[in-house]
Amino acid sequence: AEREAKGATSALDGVALALPALMRAEKLQKRAARVGFDWPDTEGPRAKVIEEIAELDAARTEAEKLDEAGDLLFAAVNLVRRYGIAPEDALRHGNAKFERRFRAMEALAGDDFPKLSLGEQEALWQQVKTTER
């Protein structure tokens, strides 16, 4: 009612443009969900993520790639949200895990890390993952 009093005409009105993109995507999706535009479970968003990956693979121009990459990220936010996980929290957690594992790889390899082949680096990555479990 307050938004209507301020002249809002869309369920999306009032979602701040200044928000970080990940948080804004989640808020836009939550607003759309309030008016019924949402998947009933995780199957729809999962299928959409797969569809968007295929569309990104098929994109040829930089503009198409940008468009499809944005769609993929938006779809991923939707899937994570449908699992009841805050996308911002999930990404922070993922960033921390990546950093922890990468630093452990560097520690194992020492100064030679940049000289290792991608295969050798991947072997270290797997070693670190196994050690964490």
Side-chain angles (χ1 to χ4, degrees), residues 55-65 68:
E55 290 178 6
L56 180 56
D57 285 343
R60 296 293 166 238
T61 67
E62 290 305 309
E64 288 173 344
K65 290 175 186 177
E68 298 305 337

Side-chain angles (χ1 to χ4, degrees), residues 83-120:
Y83 274 103
I85 299 166
E88 186 71 25
D89 293 344
L91 188 55
R92 283 184 205 281
H93 181 80
N95 287 345
K97 182 169 64 172
F98 175 82
E99 185 176 5
R100 182 180 67 246
R101 289 179 176 174
F102 191 87
R103 288 178 186 275
M105 288 175 19
E106 289 177 315
L108 287 171
D111 293 338
D112 291 333
F113 184 78
K115 299 173 191 156
L116 298 177
S117 69
L118 181 56
E120 292 168 322

Side-chain angles (χ1 to χ4, degrees), residues 22-73:
L22 187 69
M23 292 174 72
R24 188 159 196 273
E26 181 184 17
K27 282 194 177 269
L28 289 169
Q29 291 171 10
K30 283 181 175 180
R31 288 280 183 91
R34 279 192 215 159
V35 294
F37 191 69
D38 200 9
W39 303 101
D41 54 32
T42 59
E43 293 304 313
R46 178 182 291 113
K48 184 54 92 173
V49 167
I50 293 166
E51 174 188 321
E52 295 302 343
I53 290 169
E55 290 178 6
L56 180 56
D57 285 343
R60 296 293 166 238
T61 67
E62 290 305 309
E64 288 173 344
K65 290 175 186 177
L66 177 64
D67 191 51
E68 298 305 337
D71 290 350
L72 173 58
L73 291 171

Side-chain angles (χ1 to χ4, degrees), residues 1-15 31:
E2 287 179 24
R3 284 201 327 260
E4 283 180 24
K6 293 179 182 177
T9 59
S10 169
L12 306 180
D13 285 348
V15 177
R31 288 280 183 91

